Amino acid sequence: MSDDRRLAVLRAIVEDYVSTHEPVGSKALVERHRLGVSPATIRNDMAVLEDEGYITQPHTSAGRIPTDKGYRLFVDRLATVKPMSTAEKRAIQTFLDGAVDLDDVVDRTVRLLAQITRQAAVVQYPSLSRAAVRHVEVVPVGGRSALLVLITDTGRVEQRVVELRSAADPAALVTSLTALRTRLNAAVAGHRLQEARDALTEVVQQTPAGEMAVAAEVAAALGDCLTAGLAERVVIAGTSNLAKSGPDLAASLGSVLEALEEHVVLLRLVQEMAEDGGGDGLAVRIGSENLHVGLTETSVVTTGYGGEGRALARLGVLGPTRMDYPTTMAAVRAVSRYVSRILAT
């Protein structure tokens, strides 16, 4: 639709309906918006918008409400995403800066998103399959035991205690493990996890013969760490907000909650939306665009977060189609930027 005036009418209908949850009539548009035309012209524009499927009349003698198609056009034609205030940005930064590790970052992020958008929030965990090794630590902890720690560039930490049954001399183990740690970091630091796994055999082969058995045990444990956590995970918060959204989801709330409980459904959805957003970018699915059972009455806003130019995972919110899209999109984008900044440090 190329008519700018009709687009302005549609924008006004969306804004009023989101604000009041009441069908919008031509009289209300004249009173609330400076559209610069007569009520009769607005009625004609509304008739065209209805014929083209952008708005609909829920019942006789009522005003009009946006359809999924109307919301889509509204979102696609947004000139700007509503900026967050300085106070809101400061509150986000303060809340997230207190995080101590990746689990805490994810937990704080999902609760923050739910709080500021008043929707259900979803945060996908960074998968180790997308991560690279930042550092490997091997620390003797007494006798023939060692603590193995794997740290990835996503902030993920995997650790385990290894019983080195082949260690013949516990006293000499410290020196042996120190040298092994150096070789391991030289071989795997900075590499993706699959590449790091492939390099472990070579590290063992390059180890002096008398230390090769210990190196093999450590390498086996490190290989387990590299594959641990590969299963995709999502965290959800704020599902109670959906029950507070009024009649929007009253008929479908049970189906929506069932879908949210199926993490496989959410993972598939956020992965599909990564393609919608070109990997890192903001993506919005509205109503019937969500092909997953139970979510066809909802809208979902997600974006990537993590490394610069390489999203590690996605975060976003889910709520009724009668959503304040500019504000929600701004909140999702702002939180993503702060989380990315934290993970980069």
Side-chain angles (χ1 to χ4, degrees):
M1 186 178 64
S2 59
D3 192 316
D4 291 341
R5 189 186 68 238
R6 288 176 188 158
L7 182 60
V9 172
L10 174 63
R11 183 181 296 114
I13 292 172
V14 171
E15 291 173 351
D16 280 7
Y17 182 60
V18 168
S19 175
T20 67
H21 197 200
E22 295 291 337
V24 182
S26 58
K27 181 179 179 181
L29 293 179
V30 171
E31 293 173 348
R32 296 172 186 163
H33 302 272
R34 297 179 180 178
L35 296 174
V37 293
S38 68
T41 299
I42 291 177
R43 284 194 293 272
N44 289 336
D45 288 339
M46 292 176 71
V48 173
L49 288 168
E50 186 170 8
D51 288 342
E52 294 179 350
Y54 293 104
I55 59 176
T56 188
Q57 188 175 29
H59 50 81
T60 306
S61 75
R64 304 301 190 272
I65 64 175
T67 62
D68 291 353
K69 183 180 179 181
Y71 283 126
R72 168 49 61 192
L73 183 62
F74 172 78
V75 168
D76 289 346
R77 296 294 185 88
L78 278 176
T80 58
V81 174
K82 181 180 176 181
M84 304 199 76
S85 68
T86 301
E88 289 171 327
K89 292 178 180 178
R90 189 180 301 116
I92 292 173
Q93 182 175 0
T94 300
F95 188 79
L96 293 179
D97 278 349
V100 297
D101 56 24
L102 179 63
D103 290 333
D104 197 14
V105 170
V106 171
D107 179 67
R108 287 171 180 257
T109 299
V110 74
R111 289 189 289 117
L112 176 66
L113 270 174
Q115 179 180 339
I116 63 178
T117 65
R118 297 184 179 87
Q119 313 285 1
V122 178
V123 177
Q124 180 187 18
Y125 250 91
S127 169
L128 287 180
S129 63
R130 300 184 187 90
V133 176
R134 177 177 291 175
H135 183 72
V136 175
E137 190 62 63
V138 187
V139 184
V141 292
R144 290 182 170 83
S145 299
L147 175 65
L148 177 64
V149 182
L150 167 68
I151 304 172
T152 74
D153 62 352
T154 64
R156 191 76 168 263
V157 178
E158 293 287 335
Q159 61 184 31
R160 62 195 59 199
V161 175
V162 186
E163 295 295 333
L164 302 170
R165 293 183 292 272
S166 60
D169 183 4
L173 189 59
V174 175
T175 302
S176 177
L177 291 180
T178 299
L180 177 59
R181 179 189 61 195
T182 301
R183 288 194 297 273
L184 285 171
N185 279 292
V188 304
H191 293 283
R192 292 292 185 92
L193 301 199
Q194 185 57 53
E195 297 170 349
R197 286 191 65 200
D198 295 341
L200 293 178
T201 300
E202 187 175 347
V203 172
V204 174
Q205 291 173 346
Q206 294 174 349
T207 301
E211 302 172 2
M212 190 174 291
V214 169
E217 289 183 295
V218 173
L222 180 56
D224 290 342
C225 285
L226 290 168
T227 56
L230 289 177
E232 298 282 357
R233 295 170 56 193
V234 290
V235 180
I236 307 169
T239 53
S240 62
N241 289 330
L242 300 177
K244 302 173 186 176
S245 59
D248 296 273
L249 297 177
S252 60
L253 183 59
S255 298
V256 173
L257 294 178
E258 287 179 7
L260 291 178
E261 290 177 357
E262 293 291 336
H263 286 197
V264 173
V265 170
L266 290 178
L267 284 167
R268 190 181 305 123
L269 176 61
V270 296
Q271 288 163 357
E272 290 171 356
M273 293 184 72
E275 298 177 5
D276 296 347
D280 294 2
L282 194 71
V284 181
R285 286 199 174 183
I286 300 169
S288 56
E289 295 173 356
N290 292 309
L291 303 179
H292 301 278
V293 176
L295 299 181
T296 55
E297 301 295 324
T298 69
S299 286
V300 186
V301 180
T302 70
T303 192
Y305 73 91
E308 184 176 352
R310 179 176 66 91
L312 299 173
R314 294 185 74 81
L315 57 80
V317 299
L318 178 148
T321 54
R322 188 184 64 88
M323 177 186 291
D324 183 349
Y325 291 96
T327 300
T328 301
M329 292 162 69
V332 168
R333 181 177 291 170
V335 171
S336 167
R337 288 173 176 169
Y338 279 108
V339 174
S340 299
R341 198 174 303 164
I342 290 171
L343 293 181
T345 57

